[in-house]
């Protein structure tokens, strides 16, 4: 019996298995339930002398183990060889995607603008959209009946002839300046983002409302040079360091001197290869504004600037119709 | 406003090209929005002589002209003008010339080529006045005088007549602080200051004003505040006719339509110096009187455009001895306008109060060249000059003579020039650059200020009357800065910022968290209009949407249209538009959110603007597919529990404490059923989660359930702000024990109440309780349901089975007692 086992061991160790069929034949030859050679030897163990039985049993078990491990190894080897022909899973099936959402491009642009100014030490301040005449106009040095009031077509909620001289939908976020300065002594360094309203015909370039970020810095010794510096830094950070910028005199009732900032925008369709695009208005805070909130305009100077978020978002994303922002087409929103 | 470069050159010499001039003006405060070329784009227009005119063999309305262009053989030109005739001298655009041809309101380049027109050769084009931008006439060709030199350049011929073939027009956006620049002389003053060139003022003999009693007409002013000065000059014997070419060309260049010589000249002087003038037919003035008074209530007046207008009380009238003859500063009257038969004219040159004119112009919705200038403030010292300038031009061009003693200067309130003290150190303080006293003095003097050095760094500046906007030291500093050049102000390389603790507003921080969460779980942010039609706003101005308090809608007094008359009382209507728009564009997974302000009137105080309740609101809406159909998943559609889960996650993310959601099963106008969310046991309103009514969903084209939650963001910020700062709670190192419990209860038993009961009973060992199965099918008696709870227990030690068993027994007993629950076997 032990001789037979030795013989089988050498046969088994020398067996070559080259296909899944041969592997199955190999397993059946030795371990098949009915006629497996080793299976049969186990059945004949009763014929062995009692004292040899433990040894034979142990040897047979070892032999069975050898067959099993050779068979497994062969299977593993053969399956690896045939991999690619018939994989277990089709990994090319599409993944199960969770639904994706998005933050509106105006929020993204507004956040980028505020984040940038926050890095320069500005804090965010907010205010109401329904405003009184004092905060929206008078305290900002828009005298009653001044043509400057025509610069901002105003929605009235209460008539200017009423007891409060008018309640309006704010035409800019500048009233937040006044609200902050009424409650905070200088230095003041804030930005005021928010929604503003203009009673203008709706077209591709103007909507009845838009969003503004207004900046204000009041301190001792603030100059027009400082204003130029912060605005240039902003333009470079937002539109790239190669941006061409124009800082030119303008007029706003609440600043003096006033300035507008244009950037050069490449446009192949334009005969001059581009055009100047106005991106913001700014200036040194008018002494009347400071005095209206009880700030000593001799001791303190300051600058203010304001920009339209839509205008900047349109430039950076190449959007040519402002109404697109308010249509909320998923095919538009999902691009941001 | 339009400024003609040729015209400008009458007052200042400079070497700048139109584009360079535009740049220089823009960079000093007069923003040039466009430089518009006028006239042909190239040379090549010669004077031709029409030798013969022959019919065109193939076209009735065209003729063949043989045109002599000087030395060469006559050329054949096909012409369609009805007035062409042999013997005429005409401007001919020769082959190669590029004209700017009118095309609607625009002009487009057009090159003249040798071509065949209906089979006949044509070498050039005979031009009309309009094609050359010399007149508005395009009915026929321009016919020149008989002595026009044939073959010579047309431009030379024009020059001998005081005209030019080409020009450039600068379209300047005048800011409200620059009334001085609303004229060619005003712009020339800036050009002179910028270039150092001398400013030329036309020489005019200023006649002596007559003592009133000797004058051929009387001027009385009842309203000296509104009319501090009225100058009248009488010119007799004029002949009203078409203006000469040069005058028409100049007016056309600046966008004015020529009418007749007298009216054109008053406009010309207005565009020259900025003073609006009016010419009356003197014979229409009853009693040879000018009487300036304020309008009383209910007066009407027909302006010279033929419109009868109701004049607001307090408007300023120019009257004769009997009746109003002009609406001061805005428009003359039909009853006294200059006509073809006029022979004697009274020229009015007055100063009217800006506010009076502005109020009237606004009330009437009538803005004219004249009102535009008066409401900004004209030169209070320029009336006599302007009147004399106009009178002398009229006498020269329209004939006639200035009446001896026909000059009246009624000046009840002479205006004194302002004097402002300017500290040169303040200029440095504000601009950040030391401009220097000499340079400051020079800049201001070229702008017309009189400067006197008062010592101690102070300059005493007398402000010219044409600069009513300059009233403070800082206004002078702006004048200095804009001429000095903003580009020359250095940008500091270092800057200081005040020391402060950077703090973020809780609202900002929380909005960011909410946006991040919502965008992360598949919601898209929208921005919708705050204004909507009143009836739609009213429809949504009802609970449960729109916030804690009810109140009337806020409406604007002057909406763009009725479609935008009211302010939104809720974000829901705007969101429904978004759902509808996207559904109709093929989208079936509609999950959105929006932050925005909502508005109502409020009777109580406590709001920023008394009478108006303005809240920030957060709306979340969901309808349609939540899970797309895939290769092993079936599509799932949103229901109210999807949205409830989103709101629960959000409230948890924001750490809103002690939230409860009370179900309201009754339907409302807008909802099928909803949950009312509050904090502190109903004490603080947070918002609503609702499934909208089928009718509402259908009205916006939605086919599946539409759910929307509107949260009072202002309230959430208040509740969440104290929890923005987090503190760490040590995580338990001991194992937790999980147990399940299934009970059978009446169908109507609310699961939420049972969960609450379990949580209360299980405290403090119970760390979590949830529902993992709800079943009412086979094996469960009718009218009953089975609910299976999962629970997790834990403590700062290892729990024994006995302890947990005891908890489970207590919980079961409590459910039995409170809800009649039976343990499911």
């Amino acid at each position: 019996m032990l001789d037979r086992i030795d013989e089988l061991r050498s046969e088994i160790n020398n067996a070559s298995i080259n296909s899944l069929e041969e592997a199955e034949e190999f397993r059946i030859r030795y371990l098949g339930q009915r006629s497996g050679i080793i299976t049969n030897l186990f059945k004949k163990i009763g014929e062995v002398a009692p004292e040899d039985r433990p040894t034979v049993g142990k040897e047979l078990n070892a032999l069975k183990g050898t067959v099993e491990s050779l068979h497994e190894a062969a299977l593993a080897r053969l399956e690896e060889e045939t991999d690619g022909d018939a994989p277990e899973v089709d990994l090319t099936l599409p993944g199960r995607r969770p639904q994706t959402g998005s933050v509106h491009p105006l929020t993204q642009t507004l956040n980028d603008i505020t984040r940038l100014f926050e890095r320069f030490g500005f804090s965010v301040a907010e205010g109401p959209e329904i405003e009184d005449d004092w905060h929206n106009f008078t305290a900002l040095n828009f005298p009653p009946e001044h043509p400057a009031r025509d610069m901002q077509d105003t929605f009235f909620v209460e008539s200017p002839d009423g007891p409060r001289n008018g309640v309006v939908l704010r035409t800019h976020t500048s009233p937040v300046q006044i609200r902050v300065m009424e409650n905070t002594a200088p230095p003041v360094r804030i930005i005021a983002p928010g929604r503003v309203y203009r009673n203008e015909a709706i077209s591709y370039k103007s909507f009845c409302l838009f969003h503004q970020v207004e900046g204000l810095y009041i301190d001792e010794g603030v100059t027009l040079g400082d204003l130029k510096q912060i605005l240039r830094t902003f333009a470079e950070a937002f539109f790239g360091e190669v941006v061409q910028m124009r800082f030119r005199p303008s007029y706003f009732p609440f600043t003096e001197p006033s300035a507008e900032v244009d950037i050069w925008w490449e446009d192949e369709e334009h005969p001059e290869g581009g055009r100047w695009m106005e991106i913001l208005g700014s200036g040194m805070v008018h002494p009347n504004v400071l005095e209206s909130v009880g700030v000593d305009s001799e001791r303190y100077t300051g600058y203010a600037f304001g920009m339209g978020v839509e205008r900047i978002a349109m430039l950076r994303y190449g959007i040519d119709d402002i109404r697109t922002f308010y249509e909320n087409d998923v095919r538009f929103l999902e691009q941001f | 406003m339009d400024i003609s470069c040729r015209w400008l050159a009458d007052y200042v010499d400079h070497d700048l090209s139109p584009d360079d001039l535009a740049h220089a003006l823009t960079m000093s405060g007069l923003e040039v929005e466009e430089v518009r070329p006028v006239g042909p784009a190239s040379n090549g227009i010669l004077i031709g002589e029409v030798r013969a005119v022959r019919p065109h063999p193939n076209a009735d309305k065209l003729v063949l002209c043989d045109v002599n262009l000087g030395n060469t053989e006559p050329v054949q030109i096909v012409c369609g003008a009805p007035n062409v005739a042999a013997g005429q001298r005409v401007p001919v655009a020769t082959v190669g010339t590029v004209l700017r041809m009118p095309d609607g309101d625009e002009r487009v380049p057009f090159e003249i080529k040798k071509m065949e027109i209906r089979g006949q050769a044509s070498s050039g084009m005979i031009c009309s006045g309009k094609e050359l931008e010399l007149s508005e006439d395009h009915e026929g060709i321009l016919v020149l005088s008989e002595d026009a030199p044939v073959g010579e350049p047309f431009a030379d011929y024009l020059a001998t007549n005081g005209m030019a073939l080409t020009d450039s027009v600068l379209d300047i956006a005048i800011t409200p602080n620059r009334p001085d620049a609303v004229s060619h002389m005003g712009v020339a003053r800036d050009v002179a200051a910028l270039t150092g060139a001398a400013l030329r003022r036309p020489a005019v003999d200023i006649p002596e004003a007559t003592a009133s009693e000797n004058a051929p007409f009387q001027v009385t002013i009842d309203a000296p505040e509104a009319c501090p000065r009225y100058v009248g000059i009488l010119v007799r014997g004029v002949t009203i006719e078409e203006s000469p070419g040069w005058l028409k060309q100049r007016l056309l260049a600046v966008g004015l339509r020529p009418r007749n010589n007298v009216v054109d000249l008053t406009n010309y002087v207005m565009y020259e110096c900025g003073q609006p003038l009016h010419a009356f037919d003197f014979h229409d003035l009853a009693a040879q009187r000018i009487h300036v008074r304020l309008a009383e209530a209910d007066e009407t007046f027909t302006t010279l455009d033929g419109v009868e207008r109701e004049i607001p009380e307090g408007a300023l009238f120019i009257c004769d001895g009997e009746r109003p003859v002009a609406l001061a500063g805005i428009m003359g009257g039909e009853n006294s306008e200059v006509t073809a038969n006029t022979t004697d004219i009274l020229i009015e040159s007055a100063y009217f109060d800006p506010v009076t004119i502005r109020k009237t112009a606004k009330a009437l919705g009538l803005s004219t060249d004249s009102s535009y200038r008066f409401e900004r403030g004209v030169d209070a010292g320029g009336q006599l000059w302007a009147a004399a300038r106009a009178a002398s031009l009229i006498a020269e061009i329209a004939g006639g003579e200035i009446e001896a003693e026909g000059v009246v200067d009624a000046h009840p309130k002479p205006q004194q020039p302002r004097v402002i003290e300017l500290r040169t150190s303040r200029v440095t303080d504000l601009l950040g650059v030391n401009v220097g006293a000499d340079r400051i003095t020079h800049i201001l003097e070229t702008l017309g200020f009189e400067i006197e050095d008062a010592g101690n760094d102070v300059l005493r500046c007398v402000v010219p009357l044409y600069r009513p906007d300059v009233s403070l030291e800082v206004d002078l500093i702006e004048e200095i800065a804009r001429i000095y050049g903003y580009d020359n102000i250095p940008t500091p390389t270092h800057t200081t910022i005040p020391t402060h603790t950077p703090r973020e507003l809780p609202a900002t921080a929380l909005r960011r968290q909410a946006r991040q969460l919502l965008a992360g779980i598949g919601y898209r942010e929208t921005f919708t209009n705050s204004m909507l039609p009143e009836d739609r706003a009213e429809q949504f101005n009802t609970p449960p949407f729109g916030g804690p308090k009810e109140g009337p809608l806020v409406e604007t007094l002057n909406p763009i249209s009725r479609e935008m008359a009211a302010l939104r009382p809720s974000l829901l209507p705007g969101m429904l538009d978004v759902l509808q728009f996207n559904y109709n564009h093929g989208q079936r997974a509609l999950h959105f959110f929006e932050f925005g302000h909502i508005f109502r009137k409020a009777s109580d105080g406590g709001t920023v603007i008394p009478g108006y309740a303005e809240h920030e609101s957060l709306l979340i809406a969901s309808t349609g597919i939540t899970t797309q159909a895939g290769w092993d998943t079936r599509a799932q559609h949103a229901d109210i529990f999807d949205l409830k889960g989103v709101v629960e996650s959000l409230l948890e993310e924001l750490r809103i404490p002690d939230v409860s959601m009370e179900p309201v099963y009754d339907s409302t106008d807008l909802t099928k059923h909803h949950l009312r969310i509050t904090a502190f046991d109903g004490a603080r309103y947070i918002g609503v989660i609702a499934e909208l009514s089928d009718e509402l969903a259908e009205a916006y084209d939605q086919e599946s359930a539409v759910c929307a939650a509107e949260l009072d963001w202002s309230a959430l910020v208040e509740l969440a702000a104290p929890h923005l700062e987090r503190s760490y709670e040590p995580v338990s190192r001991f194992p937790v024990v999980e147990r399940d419990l299934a009970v059978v209860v009446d169908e109507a038993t609310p699961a939420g109440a049972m969960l609450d009961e379990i949580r209360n009973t299980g405290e403090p060992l119970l760390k979590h309780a949830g529902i993992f199965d709800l079943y009412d099918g086979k094996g469960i008696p009718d009218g009953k349901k089975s609910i299976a709870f999962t629970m997790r227990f834990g403590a700062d030690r290892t729990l024994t089975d006995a302890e947990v068993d005891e908890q489970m027994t207590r919980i079961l007993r409590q459910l039995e007692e409170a809800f009649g629950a039976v343990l499911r076997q």
Side-chain angles (χ1 to χ4, degrees):
Chain A
M1 184 65 133
L2 286 171
D3 292 349
R4 174 69 180 142
I5 289 171
D6 283 341
E7 193 182 310
L8 280 172
R9 183 178 293 119
S10 105
E11 183 187 312
I12 286 163
N13 282 329
N14 290 324
S16 77
I17 304 172
N18 294 316
S19 69
L20 289 171
E21 291 78 23
E22 284 179 20
E24 187 62 5
E25 280 168 19
F26 174 77
R27 188 187 65 79
I28 291 169
R29 175 175 166 79
Y30 296 106
L31 299 176
Q33 296 243 326
R34 287 188 194 160
S35 57
I37 297 168
I38 296 173
T39 312
N40 286 339
L41 286 178
F42 271 114
K43 287 175 186 165
K44 289 178 186 167
I45 206 158
E47 299 167 13
V48 177
E51 66 273 22
D52 290 338
R53 278 179 203 163
T55 318
V56 170
K58 203 172 150 194
E59 289 290 327
L60 274 178
N61 271 323
L63 199 55
K64 185 187 172 193
T66 306
V67 170
E68 282 169 349
S69 58
L70 280 174
H71 177 246
E72 263 172 46
L75 283 183
R77 176 170 49 84
L78 289 166
E79 272 175 16
E80 197 173 311
E81 280 170 13
T82 54
D83 199 16
D85 292 347
E88 267 183 13
V89 291
D90 178 1
L91 292 175
T92 66
L93 282 167
R96 292 183 203 100
R97 289 196 197 187
Q99 303 231 36
T100 50
S102 51
V103 170
H104 197 278
L106 288 177
T107 300
Q108 294 189 29
T109 303
L110 196 138
N111 286 348
D112 290 346
I113 295 169
T114 48
R115 209 165 37 232
L116 190 66
F117 283 107
E118 279 173 332
R119 286 187 214 144
F120 293 112
F122 289 81
S123 306
V124 174
E126 295 177 351
E129 291 174 14
I130 294 182
E131 266 295 3
D132 52 22
D133 174 86
W134 169 255
H135 290 91
N136 196 75
F137 288 127
T138 302
L140 287 163
N141 195 37
F142 283 81
E145 296 303 333
H146 192 275
R149 293 202 172 201
D150 290 345
M151 292 169 79
Q152 301 183 348
D153 294 314
T154 309
F155 286 110
F156 288 94
V157 172
E158 280 179 27
S159 163
D161 306 323
R164 293 196 261 197
N165 301 318
V167 171
V168 303
L169 299 184
R170 65 177 175 190
T171 55
H172 44 191
T173 55
S174 313
V176 180
Q177 282 187 20
I178 300 299
R179 292 189 176 279
V180 170
M181 288 192 286
E182 279 172 340
N183 294 306
T184 318
V188 170
R189 197 168 164 93
I190 55 150
I191 44 167
R195 180 173 284 206
V196 303
Y197 298 82
R198 298 280 172 91
N199 194 344
E200 289 170 359
I202 294 175
S203 71
Y204 71 96
K205 56 181 179 182
S206 79
F207 197 57
C208 50
L209 55 91
F210 60 96
H211 295 78
Q212 224 181 28
V213 177
E214 168 103 7
L216 174 75
Y217 177 35
I218 305 291
D219 205 344
E220 291 179 22
V222 182
T223 70
L224 190 67
D226 295 324
L227 174 62
K228 271 182 78 172
Q229 187 270 335
I230 191 83
L231 295 179
R232 167 151 285 287
T233 310
F234 165 76
E236 287 181 2
F238 225 79
F239 297 104
E241 277 170 40
V242 292
V243 68
Q244 276 192 75
M245 176 180 139
R246 199 163 78 168
F247 187 75
R248 60 179 167 79
S250 187
Y251 169 76
F252 306 102
F254 39 104
T255 51
E256 185 92 9
S258 302
E260 277 182 339
V261 172
D262 305 330
I263 57 169
W264 180 255
W265 202 255
E266 309 262 328
D267 178 357
E268 283 178 11
E269 286 177 20
H270 205 268
E272 283 148 48
R275 62 209 156 111
W276 289 105
M277 300 284 291
E278 183 192 320
I279 56 161
L280 59 84
S282 64
M284 300 304 290
V285 177
H286 197 289
N288 290 354
V289 174
L290 295 175
E291 296 299 333
S292 75
V293 292
V295 170
D296 180 352
S297 63
E298 272 296 303
R299 180 172 166 198
Y300 292 103
T301 54
Y303 60 67
F305 55 84
M307 63 188 88
V309 179
E310 277 80 351
R311 165 68 65 94
I312 288 174
M314 286 168 83
L315 283 174
R316 77 193 296 214
Y317 299 128
I319 294 167
D320 53 13
D321 187 334
I322 191 171
R323 293 167 296 194
T324 315
F325 291 116
Y326 296 94
E327 213 170 56
N328 301 296
D329 190 325
V330 166
R331 295 163 297 177
F332 169 76
L333 297 176
E334 69 190 1
Q335 296 179 37
F336 300 96
Chain B
M1 113 159 233
D2 286 341
I3 291 290
S4 149
C5 287
R6 295 263 182 203
W7 189 347
L8 192 67
D10 282 4
Y11 315 110
V12 65
D13 295 318
H14 62 83
D15 303 329
L16 302 175
S17 69
D19 285 337
D20 289 344
L21 179 63
H23 179 74
L25 289 171
T26 297
M27 294 309 288
S28 61
L30 297 177
E31 187 194 356
V32 177
E33 294 189 320
E34 190 192 1
V35 180
R36 198 170 65 238
V38 176
S42 74
N43 287 327
I45 299 176
L46 302 178
I47 295 171
E49 177 196 14
V50 182
R51 284 267 175 85
V53 177
R54 294 171 283 124
H56 190 296
N58 306 321
D60 288 348
K61 294 194 171 168
L62 298 176
V63 292
L64 306 176
C65 305
D66 293 327
V67 181
N68 169 24
L69 290 170
N71 295 333
T72 52
E73 283 293 298
V75 295
Q76 176 172 296
I77 295 175
V78 177
C79 182
N83 66 333
V84 67
Q88 288 171 337
R89 309 263 159 124
V90 291
V92 177
T94 56
V95 172
T97 306
V98 180
L99 297 176
R100 283 195 188 80
M101 295 290 271
D103 179 13
D105 289 341
E106 309 242 309
R107 286 194 176 253
V108 291
F110 178 79
E111 187 182 343
I112 305 298
K113 292 178 179 147
K114 218 173 214 167
M115 61 195 300
E116 283 199 356
I117 300 174
R118 296 272 184 112
Q120 291 292 320
S122 185
S123 304
M125 187 174 107
I126 307 177
C127 302
S128 72
K130 185 161 183 172
E131 281 152 0
L132 297 174
E133 297 189 58
L134 295 169
S135 72
E136 291 201 298
D137 191 1
H138 60 112
E139 292 299 310
I141 53 167
L142 185 65
V143 180
L144 310 178
S145 59
E146 288 172 9
D147 59 356
V150 175
E152 295 296 311
F154 180 56
D156 295 350
Y157 169 83
L158 286 176
T160 59
N161 290 282
M163 298 168 75
L165 190 57
T166 59
D167 193 359
S168 290
V169 171
L170 310 181
D171 181 2
I172 301 181
I174 305 280
T175 52
N177 63 326
R178 293 298 307 278
D180 65 296
V182 196
S183 68
H184 283 76
M185 282 168 65
V187 173
R189 193 182 299 117
D190 267 20
V191 175
L194 289 167
T195 59
L199 187 65
R200 266 195 309 272
R201 207 177 189 206
V204 178
D205 287 332
I206 309 289
E208 283 283 314
T210 314
S212 184
E213 57 271 21
N214 299 329
F217 61 96
Q218 303 298 311
V219 175
T220 50
I221 299 175
D222 285 356
E225 297 292 336
C227 178
R229 189 176 192 184
Y230 194 104
V231 172
I233 297 187
L234 179 59
V235 183
R236 289 196 195 268
V238 300
T239 308
I240 304 298
E241 54 190 10
E242 200 179 323
S243 290
W246 67 267
L247 180 55
K248 286 195 290 189
Q249 188 185 25
R250 286 198 166 180
L251 295 183
L252 281 170
V254 297
L256 291 178
R257 165 175 280 192
R259 303 204 181 265
N260 59 52
N261 47 8
V262 168
V263 171
D264 289 353
L265 283 168
T266 58
N267 283 330
Y268 178 79
V269 174
M270 172 168 68
Y271 270 72
E272 177 175 62
C273 70
Q275 170 68 44
L277 302 172
H278 184 64
F280 295 102
D281 185 324
F282 187 62
H283 295 292
D284 288 335
L285 297 180
Q288 293 84 48
R289 252 193 89 188
I290 289 292
H291 174 207
V292 186
R293 67 164 173 88
L294 297 177
E296 292 162 12
D298 304 324
E299 289 196 75
T300 59
F301 180 64
T302 304
T303 40
L304 54 75
D305 54 4
V307 179
E308 186 177 351
R309 300 171 190 274
E310 289 175 19
I311 305 302
E313 195 176 351
L316 193 64
F317 266 140
I318 309 300
C319 305
D320 60 11
E322 294 166 0
R323 53 183 186 158
V325 288
L327 187 57
I330 300 175
M331 198 178 271
E334 198 176 39
N335 56 15
S336 55
E337 70 174 316
V338 171
T339 66
N341 303 321
T342 300
T343 54
D344 298 349
I345 56 163
L346 180 69
I347 301 165
E348 166 195 289
S349 176
Y351 181 91
F352 298 123
D353 166 52
V355 173
T356 306
I357 301 305
R358 181 180 141 87
K359 275 186 173 166
T360 308
K362 278 206 97 169
L364 293 174
L366 181 63
S367 177
T368 61
D369 266 341
S370 168
S371 70
Y372 176 86
R373 285 164 176 76
F374 280 120
E375 63 183 59
R376 276 162 175 71
V378 300
D379 176 2
Q383 282 67 41
L384 191 56
W385 188 91
R389 169 75 168 154
S392 73
L393 282 172
I394 288 171
E396 182 188 327
I397 289 158
E401 266 181 44
I402 299 172
E403 170 94 345
E405 304 200 320
V407 179
V408 173
D409 183 359
H411 205 177
K413 276 180 74 88
Q415 198 172 319
Q416 294 308 315
R418 277 195 199 97
V419 179
I420 302 173
E421 291 196 342
L422 173 69
R423 294 162 294 171
T424 53
S425 58
R426 188 71 179 170
V427 179
T428 312
D429 289 347
L430 208 61
L431 302 184
V433 62
N434 186 355
V435 178
D438 290 349
R439 186 76 192 275
I440 290 171
T441 304
H442 179 74
I443 288 172
L444 290 175
E445 280 177 346
T446 58
L447 292 173
F449 294 79
E450 287 170 34
I451 310 297
E452 183 197 332
D453 191 341
N456 287 333
D457 243 19
V458 172
L459 300 176
R460 190 167 291 130
C461 308
V462 181
V463 181
L465 289 173
Y466 52 77
R467 291 307 303 268
D469 58 300
V470 176
S471 59
L472 300 172
E473 184 184 43
V474 71
D475 299 324
L476 293 170
I477 296 175
E478 178 172 71
E479 292 302 302
I480 296 159
R482 70 182 186 86
I483 301 298
Y484 181 75
Y486 281 18
D487 278 348
N488 296 323
I489 293 169
T491 307
T493 52
H494 291 73
T495 180
T496 57
I497 61 173
T499 310
H500 82 303
T501 315
R503 272 211 186 86
E504 195 171 34
L505 290 176
T508 314
L510 293 165
R511 250 185 243 123
R512 189 177 50 239
Q513 275 184 33
R515 281 196 175 102
Q516 216 162 13
L517 174 81
L518 292 168
I521 57 175
Y523 283 72
R524 297 193 187 281
E525 187 181 18
T526 63
F527 272 54
T528 63
N529 198 338
S530 313
M531 295 179 280
L532 70 176
E534 192 206 319
D535 53 345
R536 268 191 78 207
E538 203 57 79
Q539 184 195 351
F540 290 91
N541 188 22
T542 172
F545 281 95
K549 285 182 186 156
E550 295 175 48
L553 290 177
V554 180
E555 288 163 62
T556 57
L557 303 176
N558 55 335
I560 294 179
S561 72
R562 289 183 52 206
E563 291 302 300
M564 296 194 203
L567 290 176
R568 55 186 179 189
S570 159
L571 298 182
L572 184 58
M575 185 58 80
L576 286 168
D577 288 341
V578 175
L579 297 181
Q580 183 176 37
F581 178 93
N582 282 293
Y583 189 89
N584 291 334
H585 285 78
Q587 302 293 334
R588 291 296 177 266
L590 301 171
H591 314 289
F592 299 102
F593 70 99
E594 176 162 357
F595 281 100
H597 288 218
I598 57 174
F599 310 88
R600 286 208 172 101
K601 283 186 181 157
S603 48
D604 53 350
T607 54
V608 180
I609 304 298
Y612 300 94
E614 179 178 339
H615 290 280
E616 187 169 5
S617 181
L618 166 60
L619 192 112
I620 313 172
S622 179
T623 182
I625 293 168
T626 55
T627 304
Q628 298 284 354
W631 49 273
D632 68 343
T633 44
R634 303 182 66 176
Q636 288 181 29
H637 287 75
D639 64 23
I640 193 166
F641 297 102
D642 290 298
L643 194 56
K644 188 181 179 189
V646 168
V647 172
E648 285 169 346
S649 293
L650 178 69
L651 296 176
E652 189 179 294
E653 168 80 10
L654 302 178
R655 301 329 195 243
I656 307 292
D658 211 0
V659 175
S660 53
M661 297 191 183
E662 175 203 340
V664 179
Y665 292 103
D666 293 339
S667 63
T668 69
D669 288 348
L670 302 176
T671 63
K672 188 179 278 180
H673 42 236
H674 67 272
L675 289 158
R676 187 183 146 86
I677 318 169
T678 57
F680 310 126
D681 214 9
R684 189 70 202 258
Y685 177 86
I686 291 181
V688 60
I689 306 171
E691 180 175 347
L692 303 188
S693 71
D694 291 343
E695 300 76 53
L696 193 57
E698 276 161 28
Y700 290 88
D701 302 336
Q702 302 301 313
E703 284 169 355
S704 50
V706 179
C707 298
E710 185 160 35
L711 307 178
D712 181 350
W713 183 253
S714 314
L716 286 182
V717 170
E718 245 177 77
L719 291 167
H723 306 281
L724 270 170
E725 286 179 23
R726 302 281 151 82
S727 61
Y728 160 73
E729 279 180 33
V731 176
S732 173
R733 293 178 291 111
F734 299 93
V736 293
V737 179
E738 307 244 0
R739 291 290 174 89
D740 294 344
L741 175 68
V743 293
V744 176
V745 289
D746 283 348
E747 223 164 33
T749 312
M754 294 175 74
L755 260 181
D756 287 346
E757 198 66 45
I758 291 172
R759 288 183 181 129
N760 289 337
T761 313
E763 272 190 329
L765 297 183
L766 179 67
K767 298 299 177 197
H768 168 83
I771 294 173
F772 72 92
D773 189 39
L774 188 65
Y775 178 70
D776 63 355
K778 202 176 154 196
I780 305 294
D782 273 357
K784 300 278 182 184
K785 65 183 172 189
S786 155
I787 305 183
F789 298 97
T790 178
M791 291 166 237
R792 193 157 60 229
F793 296 90
D796 283 339
R797 57 191 163 78
T798 303
L799 292 175
T800 62
D801 277 352
E803 274 179 298
V804 178
D805 288 345
E806 189 199 324
Q807 291 296 323
M808 291 300 290
T809 309
R810 283 184 54 215
I811 287 169
L812 179 60
R813 200 165 303 137
Q814 195 59 35
L815 292 180
E816 286 166 354
E817 255 172 50
F819 302 102
V822 176
L823 184 66
R824 189 174 167 202
Q825 301 300 332

